[in-house]
Amino acid sequence: MSFKAGNVQLGKPQEKQSRVSPNIHLDKKELETMLLSLKNSTFQGSQVEGLPNVLCEAMLCECIPIGKNVFGIPDAIGETGFLFDSATPIEKITSFFDTENKGLGVKARERIIEQYPWAKRKNAFKNNIPQNDENE
């Protein structure tokens, strides 16, 4: 039995994928090393990103966030994971997994719940949708 999702097919042996998002600037070997190191973590290595929903959703699932220090990524991660920039050596990023990270997943979840509560998101949505003026 196999399952196909996008360019990846699960359930059958695969050749290594050579496609890397153009928004991520790591060579293939560095990216593979980093992705193999991820344990209960989420990686957001975008060059340009607003506030990434996928990152926040993973943090709600108590994944420890690792992200590039650009735009909305540091706002989401805060002190609950690891931030890096283009000059950060890959060894420093992967060594983050060798340190004691107890409780960071729970802290990541709590941060998203506190920083982006449902009521705040609902009000932002409501305030940014044009309303029909009754006088028109």
Side-chain angles (χ1 to χ4, degrees):
M1 178 182 209
S2 65
F3 172 76
K4 186 166 178 140
N7 293 330
V8 178
Q9 187 168 351
L10 304 175
K12 292 184 178 178
Q14 291 286 311
E15 289 184 31
K16 290 187 178 182
Q17 299 290 322
S18 61
R19 288 188 51 191
V20 175
S21 170
N23 201 18
I24 298 175
H25 295 279
L26 296 172
D27 71 31
K28 184 178 177 185
K29 185 66 179 166
E30 289 175 326
L31 185 60
E32 286 175 358
T33 301
M34 185 180 302
L35 293 176
L36 289 173
S37 299
L38 297 175
K39 301 175 217 157
N40 299 322
S41 302
T42 184
F43 173 77
Q44 189 73 41
S46 305
Q47 286 289 99
V48 177
E49 191 73 64
L51 178 63
N53 288 332
V54 171
L55 174 65
C56 295
E57 289 167 0
M59 290 172 68
L60 283 169
C61 293
E62 297 184 7
C63 289
I64 299 169
I66 297 103
K68 193 134 190 201
N69 195 9
V70 295
F71 301 98
I73 295 172
D75 294 334
I77 294 176
E79 300 293 322
T80 67
F82 184 83
L83 291 168
F84 65 94
D85 59 32
S86 298
T88 306
I90 192 75
E91 295 80 18
K92 185 172 182 180
I93 299 170
T94 56
S95 71
F96 174 73
F97 298 103
D98 297 331
T99 61
E100 191 69 28
N101 294 318
K102 284 188 178 183
L104 283 182
V106 172
K107 288 179 184 177
R109 176 180 171 76
E110 291 170 354
R111 178 171 178 79
I112 296 303
I113 290 170
E114 290 171 10
Q115 293 289 98
Y116 309 103
W118 175 246
K120 182 178 179 180
R121 290 182 286 143
K122 182 179 173 183
N123 286 334
F125 182 77
K126 184 178 173 182
N127 293 332
N128 286 298
I129 298 296
Q131 302 294 315
N132 289 333
D133 188 1
E134 292 180 19
N135 296 329
E136 290 184 24

